[in-house]
Amino acid sequence: MAKGKKKDGEKGKTTEKTKLSSKDYLAELRRLHVELVKMQEWVTANGIKVCIIFEGRDGAGKGGTIKAITDRVSPRVFRVIALPAPTDREKSQMYIQRYLPYLPAGGEVVIFDRSWYNRAGVERVMGFCTDKQVEKFLQTVPLVERAIVDSGVILLKYWLNVSQEEQTRRLEERITDGRKIWKLSPMDLKSYSRWYDYSRARDEMIEATDTGYAPWLVADSNDKRRARLNIISDLLSRIPYKEVPREKVVLPKRQKPGGYRETNYPFKQVVERF
């Protein structure tokens, strides 16, 4: 593997890092996918409840990491929640209320692509809530998370850390790549200029809500491939799953045709362009 340089988080410190080849990345990801399936079967067999939160700046790689986690598991077990902006009715509710119905039941893994921590992040920085509301949120959310954990939920909270330079590169790529332009919203452009406001908000949020029962887990996401592998490995290490024994699978014999003949119906075929 070739050597390259890597930015160390937001400090701009450069360290030597070997480049992870596609072959090595895919091989390790395949191994981790097998473990995620084992975890899934353990979760469903034992009625376990798992909730995973992903937070980070725009372009930090949350979506790609979530996709890597859910690529080979059942969407009926692994549910991804990405809520839109609140309605007028939801704005009148207790802030965290609209998130509570999406918490996992037994046998489910719920992944929040952004969560109730919007209040301490984007809502605060963009002026969608008051300082008093943020202060109240930071006081209250550890109590709510204590109740969530006490109810038997395994709660994991990840913050994806990306440098200014790498965030700029990724957002510029969204502008020029027709496959990614949908990812770039007007809100992303407004928040891009407020880097240090987000840094202050993040620091205060983590300091207030980093608890022993629901700690913040910070991942360097400047290298997307390494970040995905590191996060999946970490979450697997924090869930005490065991491989569930299963009977050997043998395909049954097919039934005999019993006089069936292929139909001559003129099906409308998909044009074979490739």
Side-chain angles (χ1 to χ4, degrees):
M1 292 185 288
K3 286 189 176 181
K5 291 185 177 181
K6 164 181 166 292
K7 290 289 186 181
D8 184 15
E10 297 179 5
K11 297 179 182 179
K13 181 181 177 182
T14 301
T15 57
E16 289 293 322
K17 195 76 172 181
T18 56
K19 184 177 180 181
L20 192 62
S21 69
S22 294
K23 181 180 179 181
D24 290 342
Y25 168 69
L26 292 174
E28 183 61 17
L29 186 60
R30 185 183 188 281
R31 185 189 71 80
L32 292 173
H33 280 158
V34 172
E35 294 303 314
L36 283 168
V37 170
K38 291 179 184 178
M39 187 197 87
Q40 170 183 271
E41 295 185 338
W42 177 79
V43 164
T44 55
N46 294 279
I48 305 300
K49 298 176 287 187
V50 180
C51 181
I52 307 171
I53 290 173
F54 283 100
E55 294 287 344
R57 302 175 191 273
D58 298 317
K62 298 180 295 297
T65 300
I66 292 171
K67 186 176 180 181
I69 293 170
T70 59
D71 190 37
R72 297 292 180 174
V73 292
S74 170
R76 291 185 293 275
V77 177
F78 281 71
R79 296 191 294 113
V80 178
I81 308 299
L83 296 185
T87 64
D88 289 339
R89 180 177 182 276
E90 289 171 332
K91 289 177 183 178
S92 71
Q93 297 174 340
M94 178 178 69
Y95 176 73
I96 205 169
Q97 184 174 338
R98 75 184 189 120
Y99 294 95
L100 297 180
Y102 298 96
L103 290 175
E108 293 180 345
V109 179
V110 169
I111 299 175
F112 281 97
D113 184 355
R114 293 198 182 276
S115 64
W116 45 85
Y117 283 102
N118 273 345
R119 169 125 301 179
V122 63
E123 290 188 16
R124 179 181 195 176
V125 173
M126 302 309 296
F128 296 147
C129 61
T130 66
D131 289 341
K132 187 175 182 179
Q133 287 175 315
V134 174
E135 181 182 355
K136 188 66 175 178
F137 170 80
L138 293 178
Q139 291 172 352
T140 304
V141 74
L143 303 176
V144 175
E145 291 180 353
R146 173 84 263 183
I148 291 172
V149 171
D150 285 348
S151 75
V153 174
I154 297 174
L155 178 60
L156 302 176
K157 303 185 303 190
Y158 289 97
W159 176 272
L160 274 62
N161 215 26
V162 66
S163 68
Q164 292 189 54
E165 295 82 1
E166 182 61 17
Q167 185 196 43
T168 297
R169 188 193 70 77
R170 292 176 186 178
L171 295 183
E172 287 179 342
E173 187 178 62
R174 292 180 183 181
I175 296 173
T176 58
D177 191 332
R179 302 167 300 172
K180 299 179 179 180
I181 189 64
W182 64 272
K183 293 184 177 182
L184 195 63
S185 69
M187 188 62 61
D188 295 336
L189 299 177
K190 290 180 181 179
S191 64
Y192 173 78
S193 64
R194 302 184 182 183
W195 177 271
Y196 292 106
D197 287 341
Y198 270 102
S199 293
R200 295 184 187 96
R202 177 208 56 197
D203 293 349
E204 186 173 346
M205 177 193 78
I206 291 180
E207 184 176 349
T209 62
D210 182 31
T211 60
Y213 51 86
W216 277 103
L217 306 164
V218 180
D220 181 347
S221 67
N222 283 306
D223 184 323
K224 288 183 178 180
R225 289 177 178 175
R226 291 185 183 278
R228 293 166 189 170
L229 298 181
N230 288 333
I231 290 171
I232 296 174
S233 297
D234 185 86
L235 75 86
L236 286 169
S237 74
R238 295 176 187 275
I239 299 174
Y241 71 97
K242 296 180 180 179
E243 187 170 1
V244 177
R246 59 163 56 220
E247 295 182 4
K248 184 178 179 181
V249 178
V250 179
L251 291 176
K253 292 182 179 179
R254 292 191 190 275
Q255 66 179 164
K256 294 181 179 180
Y260 173 79
R261 294 183 180 181
E262 291 290 340
T263 179
N264 291 322
Y265 185 83
F267 291 110
K268 296 175 181 63
Q269 296 286 343
V270 173
V271 177
E272 296 185 358
R273 295 183 173 89
F274 304 98

